[in-house]
């Protein structure tokens, strides 16, 4: 997995609006989450949430059990400052997703937009998926978005792995059923385009 110093440097030297993956609202993610979670008390974890606005919209919609995990403490601190008093209702974890202990059956839904594709080593992907298997409840949900087949080959100066919906489901292995998939053409803050593939899966 990419080292913590790399990501601390990214978030200490760039504002939220200066990273390519920034969106003012994660509409696709929100639609997929709302399609399967009707209970506002369902436990959601946002992997690599950093300075993402997803947590803002989850809180605004009345969701009461939200966790944000990021390897960068600087990113989490920036989001806490943005949220103000609302940050107290969120659980914050600064950790490497390939090594963190998230407990067993802790979450109804696991969300990841643009972390998994940074895992270029098989052992890191295996470690990530093991955490999904442990932390997501039986019959829980996973929303994962990566660069698609026509997406960039690098991001933030790092190599990535591109996926289509089939290869992304295959990467997760047995025990995950594809419920929905979609492609988004994301416009970066400087108007270039990036293809993202989203998969909504259910854990057995």
């Amino acid at each position: 997995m990419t080292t913590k110093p790399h990501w601390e440097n990214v978030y200490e030297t760039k504002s939220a609006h200066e990273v390519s993956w920034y969106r003012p609202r994660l509409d696709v993610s929100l639609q997929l989450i709302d399609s399967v979670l009707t209970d506002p008390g369902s436990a959601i974890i946002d992997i690599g949430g950093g300075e993402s606005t997803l947590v803002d919209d989850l809180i605004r919609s009345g969701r009461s059990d939200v966790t944000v995990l990021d390897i960068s403490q600087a990113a989490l601190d920036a989001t806490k400052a943005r949220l103000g008093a609302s940050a107290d209702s969120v659980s914050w974890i600064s950790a490497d997703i390939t090594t963190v202990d998230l407990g067993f059956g802790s979450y109804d839904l696991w969300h990841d937009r643009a972390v998994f594709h940074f895992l270029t080593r098989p052992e890191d992907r295996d470690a990530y998926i093991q955490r999904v298997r442990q932390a997501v409840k039986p019959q829980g949900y996973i929303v994962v978005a990566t660069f698609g087949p026509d997406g960039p080959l690098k991001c933030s100066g790092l190599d990535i792995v591109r996926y289509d919906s089939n290869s992304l489901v295959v990467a997760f292995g047995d025990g995950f059923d594809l419920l929905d998939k979609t492609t988004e053409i994301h416009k970066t803050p400087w108007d270039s385009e990036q293809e993202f593939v989203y998969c909504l899966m259910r854990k057995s």
Side-chain angles (χ1 to χ4, degrees), residues 1-197:
M1 176 60 177
T2 309
T3 60
K4 180 179 174 67
H6 172 89
W7 291 110
E8 294 292 11
N9 180 65
V10 168
Y11 286 106
E12 287 170 359
T13 58
K14 295 183 179 182
S15 72
H17 302 78
E18 293 176 324
V19 293
S20 66
W21 54 89
Y22 172 77
R23 287 183 67 86
R25 192 171 191 272
L26 299 188
D27 296 290
V28 175
S29 293
L30 290 164
Q31 289 166 8
L32 292 172
I33 291 169
D34 289 343
S35 74
V36 292
L37 292 187
T38 57
D39 181 357
S42 295
I44 299 171
I45 185 167
D46 185 17
I47 304 301
E51 294 186 13
S52 166
T53 61
L54 182 70
V55 63
D56 306 57
D57 288 310
L58 292 174
I59 293 171
R60 194 175 296 118
S61 67
R63 297 204 176 271
S64 59
D65 191 344
V66 179
T67 298
V68 178
L69 180 149
D70 202 282
I71 199 169
S72 168
Q73 185 64 51
L76 297 178
D77 289 343
T79 302
K80 290 180 188 178
R82 184 181 73 234
L83 289 172
S86 296
D88 294 339
S89 67
V90 178
S91 298
W92 305 93
I93 302 174
S94 178
D96 182 333
I97 191 54
T98 65
T99 59
V100 66
D101 181 1
L102 295 172
F104 182 79
S106 304
Y107 303 102
D108 295 289
L109 186 140
W110 174 291
H111 174 268
D112 166 7
R113 179 179 179 272
V115 172
F116 189 69
H117 64 202
F118 281 110
L119 305 181
T120 58
R121 300 193 309 168
E123 56 266 39
D124 288 333
R125 292 194 291 271
D126 289 345
Y128 176 107
I129 293 164
Q130 181 62 26
R131 270 120 192 110
V132 177
R133 293 184 184 278
Q134 291 174 346
V136 177
K137 298 176 183 179
Q139 301 301 307
Y141 301 94
I142 303 96
V143 176
V144 180
T146 68
F147 284 151
D150 295 322
L153 292 170
K154 285 181 173 285
C155 184
S156 190
L158 301 173
D159 292 331
I160 61 92
V161 180
R162 299 185 296 185
Y163 296 88
D164 59 21
S165 57
N166 290 331
S167 62
L168 188 52
V169 174
V170 168
F172 271 69
D174 294 338
F176 299 94
D177 297 320
L178 180 65
L179 301 181
D180 199 358
K181 60 184 178 181
T182 191
T183 298
E184 173 190 60
I185 302 303
H186 164 65
K187 282 203 170 184
T188 70
W190 41 92
D191 285 332
S192 62
E193 293 185 344
Q194 297 177 337
E195 181 189 48
F196 274 85
V197 168

